[in-house]
Structures are given as C-alpha cells and as structure tokens.
Amino acid sequence: MHPADVEAVWRIESARIVAALTRFTGDFGLAEDAAQEAVAEALVSWPLDPPANPAGWLRATARRRAID
C-alpha cells in the first residue's frame, strides 16, 4: 500500500478512531497520541503487508497502543 492510501484511510476514519479511543481511555490526548502512533506503524508495515480491513487495523493498533 502506498502512503497516500494510508492518508486516505486516516482522513476518512480518524474522527471515529479518536472518538472511540477517547471513550475507551477517558483521555483525548492519549487517544490522539495512540491513533497517531497507529498511523506511523501503518506507514511502515502496510507497504510490506497491507491489511484486508485498513480501518479495523488502525482501530485495533491504536487501542493496543493506548493500553500500552
């Protein structure tokens, strides 16, 4: 996947991802940071192995980052 594809998914899904993480963590700042870390990881790993569900991948990765 090209970085522009990651950007397109992020543009469409970012508000939902951050909102869900904010509800999960109770902390908007933490939610934003975790979501941004997920995007950074996507930029590295998606060109090698693109996910079948990019939005779901971002949500799951961001949630794991928030837990860590």
Side-chain angles (χ1 to χ4, degrees):
M1 242 182 195
H2 193 270
D5 298 327
V6 176
E7 180 184 350
V9 172
W10 176 248
R11 204 174 324 112
I12 294 166
E13 297 294 329
S14 62
R16 281 183 276 243
I17 293 169
V18 172
L21 285 171
T22 300
R23 286 189 300 274
F24 177 70
T25 63
D27 184 342
F28 179 74
L30 175 61
E32 275 193 321
D33 289 345
Q36 289 295 327
E37 289 176 16
V39 171
E41 179 66 26
L43 288 168
V44 172
S45 63
W46 287 9
L48 304 173
D49 185 24
N53 179 356
W57 188 97
L58 282 174
R59 280 190 298 272
T61 303
R63 185 177 172 127
R64 285 187 210 112
R65 295 286 186 263
I67 291 169
D68 289 343

